[in-house]
Amino acid sequence: MVSAARTWPSAHPVSVVSVLCAGDADSIESAPVTRLDLDFGGVLGDRHHGLTRPSDTRQLRYYPRGTTIRNRRQLSVVAVDELAEIADQLGLPYLQPGWLGANLLVDGVPALSALPIGSRLLFAGGAGLVCEGVNQPCRLPAELIQAQFPWSSAQAGFVKAAYGRRGIVASVEVPAPLVAGEVFTVALPELHTPPGLRLAHGRRAG
Amino acid sequence: MVSAARTWPSAHPVSVVSVLCAGDADSIESAPVTRLDLDFGGVLGDRHHGLTRPSDTRQLRYYPRGTTIRNRRQLSVVAVDELAEIADQLGLPYLQPGWLGANLLVDGVPALSALPIGSRLLFAGGAGLVCEGVNQPCRLPAELIQAQFPWSSAQAGFVKAAYGRRGIVASVEVPAPLVAGEVFTVALPELHTPPGLRLAHGRRAG
């Protein structure tokens, strides 16, 4: 299930396999729906919907916990091949995208989790999403997966197995309904990186 | 005026030299003010303020012109050293940041224009900005500069001289007032790029 050529642009067709909504504020689990309605806050009816949200541990190095910040984690996007890789690592027959709280299950984007921040997902129906970065795995899906496969070691192994394979978070640039089967393209951002510039990602300058 | 070590993180102090607002909807020119008041749409009173805006030629490869898109080009940030480089290329004694419609003139960030999308500018007063990418030069500043230096070739040469030096555009993640002299830090985004992945930036996949 690993893409042979992990190169963009890809010759593979790219499509939405399923769309899901996490309608219960008390659980990260999402369930398949016939379509997602978007606005500039994300997926209507999803627990992550909002123009703003309180900052959490992920932003603790940047802002005090609970600071009202713009909501850049509106949608969770996961890939068929990367879910299969996580399942394989855990010795499981499969993983449902809903157990990870995903909103979109996609197929055909090589190395989805490595998509650069600022990349666009441009859907045939007119919607546009912006990649806001890799989704760092947390322990919440582990409990859901363990409950499905009580004989497994998913609870202990999920975070390590999912690292770099848990898909991306995205925000809405252009709202429009999203449906299963919809075709989309991926556009990488234009960059200007002068020769000789070294980057220390994840660290502070100044 | 060119930074000797174009490396992040930097040992240089990083500070806001001046803050400017473009209050006239008919001109890109911005003027120094005592402070900028921010909300989630950008700088209050600035011509670029808004949660959304109509797409323009820069997004023509992604969306039909005039599509209502999220406003990611809220603030323009330029650097002292890069402005001096542009002036030098054009044979001018100096460039005012207001002629480029800048909102922030900063000093101490090496290669500001190359800052990766998703980098954060974190200000002592609590504001947080997200880098939305390099600001591609257009012809509008050229006319303002030519008017200041009628003997120059700024009108013809600006776009080429400013390419990769015209600073970045940014959006508000946490609103708070910004003032001249304020100290800030730069945080690069966390990335996950697996070995062997080749990127073709600015091109479409799928």
Side-chain angles (χ1 to χ4, degrees), chain B:
Chain B
M1 299 290 284
V2 181
S3 302
R6 291 165 76 82
T7 301
W8 292 306
S10 161
H12 300 283
V14 178
S15 63
V16 178
V17 177
S18 58
V19 298
L20 307 95
C21 184
D24 182 350
D26 295 328
S27 167
I28 72 147
E29 190 165 4
S30 56
V33 291
T34 54
R35 74 179 220 185
L36 299 178
D37 287 307
L38 305 186
D39 68 10
F40 288 105
V43 176
L44 293 171
D46 189 275
R47 67 199 295 263
H48 293 97
H49 180 271
L51 288 174
T52 64
R53 65 180 187 80
S55 67
D56 59 32
T57 49
R58 293 184 193 86
Q59 297 84 38
L60 210 50
R61 74 179 88 174
Y62 311 125
Y63 307 117
R65 186 192 296 266
T67 303
T68 299
I69 66 175
R70 180 158 53 84
N71 183 12
R72 298 166 61 200
R73 302 176 58 84
Q74 296 177 352
L75 287 93
S76 160
V77 185
V78 298
V80 169
D81 60 340
E82 293 182 333
L83 285 193
E85 288 174 28
I86 301 173
D88 193 53
Q89 288 277 316
L90 293 171
L92 305 178
Y94 63 91
L95 279 180
Q96 295 282 8
W99 301 339
L100 283 70
N103 297 111
L104 291 179
L105 174 65
V106 301
D107 195 18
V109 181
L112 173 73
S113 295
L115 206 59
I117 299 176
S119 300
R120 288 176 167 97
L121 310 185
L122 301 162
F123 296 85
L129 301 182
V130 176
C131 174
E132 300 282 6
V134 66
N135 199 348
Q136 302 290 2
C138 72
R139 303 197 67 80
L140 296 176
E143 295 167 22
L144 284 172
I145 298 164
Q146 186 70 40
Q148 297 288 333
F149 303 109
W151 46 266
S152 75
S153 59
Q155 177 108 37
F158 174 76
V159 170
K160 181 158 181 276
Y163 186 77
R165 301 184 176 113
R166 199 236 179 285
I168 58 170
V169 285
S171 62
V172 174
E173 187 171 40
V174 175
L178 294 175
V179 296
E182 192 164 353
V183 171
F184 67 99
T185 59
V186 178
L188 300 188
E190 298 113 70
L191 294 186
H192 169 73
T193 304
L197 184 73
R198 288 183 292 124
L199 304 184
H201 283 283
R203 298 175 61 188
R204 277 195 187 199

Side-chain angles (χ1 to χ4, degrees), chain A residues 102-121:
Chain A
N103 298 110
L104 292 179
L105 175 65
V106 302
D107 195 17
V109 181
L112 174 73
S113 295
L115 207 58
I117 299 176
S119 300
R120 288 175 167 97
L121 310 185

Side-chain angles (χ1 to χ4, degrees), chain A residues 48-126:
Chain A
H48 293 98
H49 180 271
L51 288 174
T52 64
R53 65 179 185 81
S55 67
D56 59 33
T57 49
R58 293 184 194 87
Q59 297 84 37
L60 211 49
R61 74 179 86 176
Y62 311 125
Y63 307 117
R65 186 192 296 264
T67 302
T68 298
I69 65 175
R70 180 158 54 84
N71 184 12
R72 298 166 62 199
R73 303 177 58 84
Q74 296 177 353
L75 287 93
S76 159
V77 185
V78 298
V80 169
D81 60 340
E82 293 183 332
L83 285 194
E85 288 173 29
I86 300 173
D88 193 53
Q89 288 277 318
L90 294 171
L92 305 178
Y94 62 90
L95 279 180
Q96 294 282 7
W99 301 339
L100 285 70
N103 298 110
L104 292 179
L105 175 65
V106 302
D107 195 17
V109 181
L112 174 73
S113 295
L115 207 58
I117 299 176
S119 300
R120 288 175 167 97
L121 310 185
L122 300 162
F123 295 84

